[in-house]
Amino acid sequence: MKYFLLSLLIPLTLMLNAQDKSKGKGNSDQTTKTIEKYPKVKWRKKLKIARQKMADGSYINAVEYLEDVYKDKSDKVEVMHLLGDANRYLRDYESAEKYYKAAVTKDPVAYPTDQYYLALMQKMNGKYEDAKKTFQDYLKSKLDKGDLNLKPMAKIEIEGCDSALLLLKEPSKIRVTKTEGSVNTTLNDYSPKVLKNGGIMFASQKTDTAVDNSISKADYYTSLFTAEKTGKTYSNRTIMPYPPNDHHLNVNNGVLTGDENTLYFASCNDSLEIGNIGRCKLYRTTKKNALEWNTPEELKSVNVEGFTSTQPALGIDADGSNILYFASDRKGAKGLDLYYAKIGSDGKLGSPVSLGQPVNTIGDEMSPYYDITSKTLYFSSNGHPSIGGYDVFKVTGTPGHWGKVVNA
C-alpha cells in the first residue's frame, strides 16, 4: 500500500478551472470545446487580445491567437516568448521548448528568464545534457535590477540533471500503473487517501464537460468522492454529502483520522494567484451519523487571510502527540512551504510552525504524507534536486529532528 500512496503524491493538486488552464495531452478533446473563433482583425489586434488572455489565465485561447500571429510574424520575439509561457502553463513542454528556443536564439537578452525556462523544458522532456548546458549558460547571463533572478534555482536544477543522468544508468524497476475502474475522469482526480475498507477517498470535479466558468451556472467545483475496491478495480464512485462538500467552493485534499470520524480538508476559491493553486483554507468536520457530517469549522489558528493553507496530512511529533501537516505560501515562505500545528486533546490546533530546513527550500514543497509506522514524511518538491519538475522526496524523523532528505 505504501507504493500505491507514493505513486499518487505527484502534486496534481487544486488544478482549478482545469477546462481552460491546464491542457495536458490527455484532455485536448475536451478543452478544444472552449476555444474561441478568431475575430477577423489584423495581427496587432490579435496580439493585444492574446496578452489579455494571458493576463486572465485563459492560456488555451491565448495560444490560439498567438499561433495565428506567429504565422504572420514569426520573427517577433514577444510572440515566441508568450507562446513559450502559455504552453509551459498548459504543460505542453515540447511546444514550450520549441518557442523558448526560438526566442533565445533570436534575442537572448530580450527576455532573460526564457533561457532558464528553455533549460527547464529541456529537462522536462528528458534532454538532461542539453538542459544542463542551457542552465549553465543562464548562470553566465547578465541580469538587470528588474529581472527575475532564477540563478539559485538553476544551480539546483543542474544537480537534478546530474542525478537524472546517474539514475538513467540504473533505471528503477518500479512500475506505475493507471488506476482501474470508475475513479478517473477526463479532468482532474487527485489527493487519494486509503480508507479502512480498502477503498479510497479522493477529490474530483463533478462534471467532465468543458465549461466557460465565467458565464456558466454549471457546478464545476471539485468535491470529495469515495470509491470501493475489489481486487485491482475501483467501483461505486460516490460523491460525499453536503457538507463537507460545498456547491460554491472547491473542496479537496481530504484526510481522515484513524477512526474515520474526523475529516480535515481544504476549501478553495477560483483565483489562480499562485500558479494553478487557488486561495485555500483548512477546515475540520466530524461525523453526525453514518450518512451525515456536521457543519465544518474553519481552522482559524492555521489559516492566514490573503494566503493559502492546503493539503492537510496527519502525523506525530517527537513526543508522540498528534499534529497536522499542511502546505502554505504564508508571509515568510518562499513559494509553498510545509508547516505543522499541534492538535490538542480538545481538538484545538496550536500555532503553525515551519518545518524549516532540510525539508523546505527556495522552491515549492507540497503534498505531505506522513507514515507513522516508519516515521517517514513523504512530500513533493521542485526545490530539491529533481529529475524534472516535482519529484517525490522522503525524510525520516519528526519536526525538529529530521534526517537527510532523499529523492524517492
Side-chain angles (χ1 to χ4, degrees), residues 87-193:
N87 281 292
R88 174 167 59 89
Y89 294 142
L90 293 170
R91 303 195 297 279
D92 184 347
Y93 301 130
E94 291 182 3
S95 295
E97 179 187 347
K98 168 189 168 182
Y99 290 114
Y100 280 135
K101 188 171 184 177
V104 170
T105 301
K106 180 70 177 179
D107 189 345
V109 298
Y111 298 94
T113 56
D114 280 5
Q115 193 167 42
Y116 171 86
Y117 288 122
L118 169 59
L120 196 64
M121 296 303 97
Q122 289 171 327
K123 187 179 180 186
M124 296 296 284
N125 292 326
K127 302 175 183 178
Y128 298 112
E129 293 285 7
D130 292 343
K132 184 176 179 179
K133 183 181 183 305
T134 308
F135 279 127
Q136 290 170 337
D137 290 341
Y138 173 71
L139 289 175
K140 298 173 187 175
S141 65
K142 184 178 180 180
L143 302 179
D144 293 330
K145 286 185 178 180
D147 292 332
L148 180 63
N149 186 358
L150 294 169
K151 291 188 177 183
M153 284 296 296
K155 294 176 182 178
I156 295 170
E157 295 291 352
I158 288 172
E159 288 184 54
C161 288
D162 289 335
S163 298
L165 289 168
L166 287 174
L167 287 169
L168 286 174
K169 294 178 181 178
E170 298 181 14
S172 169
K173 297 183 185 298
I174 295 174
R175 176 180 295 175
V176 177
T177 57
K178 188 174 181 178
T179 308
E180 298 177 14
S182 61
V183 171
N184 293 317
T185 65
T186 56
L187 294 177
N188 295 303
D189 310 285
Y190 58 96
S191 67
K193 301 296 189 303

Side-chain angles (χ1 to χ4, degrees), residues 76-90:
K76 195 168 180 63
V77 179
E78 182 192 2
V79 178
M80 304 170 195
H81 162 74
L82 291 174
L83 277 166
D85 280 355
N87 281 292
R88 174 167 59 89
Y89 294 142
L90 293 170

Side-chain angles (χ1 to χ4, degrees), residues 35-313:
I35 292 172
E36 300 170 354
K37 299 294 184 183
Y38 307 142
K40 293 180 179 179
V41 294
K42 294 183 179 180
W43 70 266
R44 291 183 187 277
K45 177 65 174 177
K46 291 177 183 177
L47 179 55
K48 184 177 180 180
I49 294 171
R51 291 191 191 110
Q52 186 58 53
K53 294 296 180 185
M54 291 288 291
D56 294 341
S58 184
Y59 303 123
I60 290 176
N61 283 309
V63 165
E64 294 298 315
Y65 285 109
L66 289 167
E67 286 181 343
D68 212 35
V69 175
Y70 190 68
K71 292 174 185 176
D72 297 325
K73 292 290 176 181
S74 59
D75 62 340
K76 195 168 180 63
V77 179
E78 182 192 2
V79 178
M80 304 170 195
H81 162 74
L82 291 174
L83 277 166
D85 280 355
N87 281 292
R88 174 167 59 89
Y89 294 142
L90 293 170
R91 303 195 297 279
D92 184 347
Y93 301 130
E94 291 182 3
S95 295
E97 179 187 347
K98 168 189 168 182
Y99 290 114
Y100 280 135
K101 188 171 184 177
V104 170
T105 301
K106 180 70 177 179
D107 189 345
V109 298
Y111 298 94
T113 56
D114 280 5
Q115 193 167 42
Y116 171 86
Y117 288 122
L118 169 59
L120 196 64
M121 296 303 97
Q122 289 171 327
K123 187 179 180 186
M124 296 296 284
N125 292 326
K127 302 175 183 178
Y128 298 112
E129 293 285 7
D130 292 343
K132 184 176 179 179
K133 183 181 183 305
T134 308
F135 279 127
Q136 290 170 337
D137 290 341
Y138 173 71
L139 289 175
K140 298 173 187 175
S141 65
K142 184 178 180 180
L143 302 179
D144 293 330
K145 286 185 178 180
D147 292 332
L148 180 63
N149 186 358
L150 294 169
K151 291 188 177 183
M153 284 296 296
K155 294 176 182 178
I156 295 170
E157 295 291 352
I158 288 172
E159 288 184 54
C161 288
D162 289 335
S163 298
L165 289 168
L166 287 174
L167 287 169
L168 286 174
K169 294 178 181 178
E170 298 181 14
S172 169
K173 297 183 185 298
I174 295 174
R175 176 180 295 175
V176 177
T177 57
K178 188 174 181 178
T179 308
E180 298 177 14
S182 61
V183 171
N184 293 317
T185 65
T186 56
L187 294 177
N188 295 303
D189 310 285
Y190 58 96
S191 67
K193 301 296 189 303
V194 180
L195 301 176
K196 287 193 299 185
N197 63 6
I200 58 170
M201 174 180 65
F202 60 100
S204 180
Q205 286 174 287
K206 290 185 282 293
T207 174
D208 62 359
T209 302
V211 297
D212 180 350
N213 54 40
S214 64
I215 60 174
S216 173
K217 296 185 182 301
D219 187 353
Y220 60 86
Y221 295 102
T222 57
S223 296
L224 294 176
F225 288 75
T226 59
E228 300 169 358
K229 187 179 182 184
T230 304
K232 295 182 178 180
T233 302
Y234 289 91
S235 61
N236 195 23
R237 173 188 166 100
T238 305
I239 191 167
M240 289 181 67
Y242 292 79
N245 286 321
D246 192 309
H247 288 292
H248 305 290
L249 290 169
N250 292 281
V251 175
N252 44 55
N253 291 290
V255 59
L256 289 160
T257 53
D259 58 11
E260 298 188 350
N261 288 325
T262 301
L263 171 70
Y264 294 86
F265 65 93
S267 184
C268 314
N269 61 24
D270 281 342
S271 64
L272 295 169
E273 299 173 50
I274 47 170
N276 279 334
I277 298 181
R279 291 295 169 194
C280 306
K281 292 182 178 181
L282 292 177
Y283 290 80
R284 176 177 54 199
T285 181
T286 54
K287 263 189 178 177
K288 182 184 293 186
N289 53 53
L291 300 176
E292 296 178 295
W293 293 82
N294 290 304
T295 302
E297 62 169 314
E298 180 185 341
L299 302 181
K300 293 184 177 180
S301 64
V302 168
N303 297 324
V304 178
E305 203 63 41
F307 297 92
T308 203
S309 299
T310 185
Q311 300 166 350

Side-chain angles (χ1 to χ4, degrees), residues 352-365:
V353 180
S354 170
L355 263 62
Q357 295 181 338
V359 176
N360 291 329
T361 67
I362 60 174
D364 292 325
E365 281 70 47

